[in-house]
Amino acid sequence: MARWVLSECGVKPLPRIYPQPSRNRFASKTFMVSEIGPPLLTSKAHVLRSSLGLSTSCKGKSWALNVSTPVRVASVDEDNERERVDGVNGVDDEGGFDPAAAPPFRLADIRAAIPKHCWVKDPWRSMSYVVRDVVVVFGLAAVAAYFNNWVVWPLYWFAQGTMFWALFVLGHDCGHGSFSNDPKLNSVVGHILHSSILVPYHGWRISHRTHHQNHGHVENDESWHPLSEKIYRSLDKATKTLRFTLPFPMLAYPVYLWSRSPGKKGSHFDPNSDLFVPSERNDIITSTACWTAMLALLGCLSVVMGPLQILKLYGIPYLLFVMWLDVVTYLHHHGHDDKLPWYRGEEWSYLRGGLTTLDRDYGWINNIHHDIGTHVIHHLFPQIPHYHLIEATEATKPVLGKYYREPEKSWPLPFHLLGVLVKSMRKDHFVSDSGDIVYYQADPDLS
């Protein structure tokens, strides 16, 4: 039923018409991690390896696999990129701004504008956010269980679903290595936080790394990437309607964990999935075991407390968390008034793909969910801690110029984003099967 309603695989099996990106994790055209990391002297290379959990040793477990920072990412050669952008400068043939044009700056120029202290990860400060969120989660549950009436429950569901989302963001930071410089600490905290909300830590961390390495690429992106026209046309009318009718698309995340996105195959729980390389097998087994243990714990609590009580305390907040995750992730890549490009082939680069992401303002929720709405700089430099993202963004605006799109200011609660979401669902349906720079097109039958 979920496969039909959410159409992650469609009523009819979706054809897999695109080759999967290479699982060697590194493309043939790359730049080194220093291009996306903090500016360091060559003589300090050992510090860089330490900060990312890398090791030159071949013995023992490579903790580099537990850091979801794009260590090396596909890009055009830096000199060629500079050559191309110097003559373009984001201007179209009519003299206006063209968001699809190669920018007149490099990733290194953006990085250089970020204050050095913004790269510093403070594990004590990171853990303080974990303690804060966990205390709030248990406090909310205790208050709701104590009053146990239908005036309190709806307020609890919204608040607790939002807090589950906050826990997810902290676990997400662990996966990026922005939580601390200690990969073991990142892994332990990430497993606890993500498993508590039924997310397989390593499985999702690795697929999310793929998303960051391929953001803005039509075929290779991993999160809310466009359907090609061929795949879209192959869907029947009911599937198309449900895929773009709220709230169904905003409940897609659990299905995505099991079966990925249309046109792709694999599961975040299967160590033999195409998502992973053989060296990641033990990581996936560990995360799946933790996920299973949490599911078993919920089953035991249902026996002790009753299934209805667990549904109220955990089940409904979990669904609200899923909606938060899908809405926020979707709006970071969709819904701008000016259509934003998606790329293929030689037109795509790590920088150009990252510049198609969007910042969003969530009002009071900004602080609760750890400023994840400050998303452009996070996408380009995912190793920056969340508590430095706002300062880093402000510092880079003069470099980014019109390539940075200032988010619409929110009321205390971000109700304005519901209109943005509905509007995008009505017009962002598919992209052309051909062309290296493409834009979303609308199906008149759904618009």
Side-chain angles (χ1 to χ4, degrees), residues 192-234:
I192 293 173
L193 295 177
H194 274 187
S195 299
S196 70
I197 49 176
L198 295 178
V199 175
Y201 172 69
H202 281 312
W204 182 85
R205 172 188 62 80
I206 293 167
S207 73
H208 189 63
R209 178 186 63 203
T210 302
H211 166 56
H212 270 259
Q213 290 177 337
N214 296 280
H215 45 206
H217 194 289
V218 174
E219 285 86 28
N220 294 343
D221 203 340
E222 181 64 28
S223 178
W224 286 115
H225 61 92
L227 292 178
S228 70
E229 185 171 4
K230 182 177 180 180
I231 287 182
Y232 180 83
R233 300 296 182 193
S234 71

Side-chain angles (χ1 to χ4, degrees), residues 253-314:
Y253 183 66
V255 180
Y256 165 72
L257 290 177
W258 281 103
S259 58
R260 294 180 75 192
S261 302
K264 298 178 183 289
K265 69 175 185 177
S267 171
H268 290 72
F269 301 94
D270 180 7
N272 299 314
S273 170
D274 287 351
L275 275 166
F276 316 119
V277 297
S279 61
E280 294 164 335
R281 177 181 176 83
N282 289 340
D283 288 340
I284 305 310
I285 292 174
T286 300
S287 294
T288 301
C290 291
W291 182 91
T292 305
M294 182 60 193
L295 202 62
L297 175 61
L298 290 173
C300 292
L301 290 175
S302 296
V303 173
V304 174
M305 302 173 63
L308 180 60
Q309 189 74 345
I310 294 302
L311 176 66
K312 292 188 294 184
L313 284 171
Y314 186 93

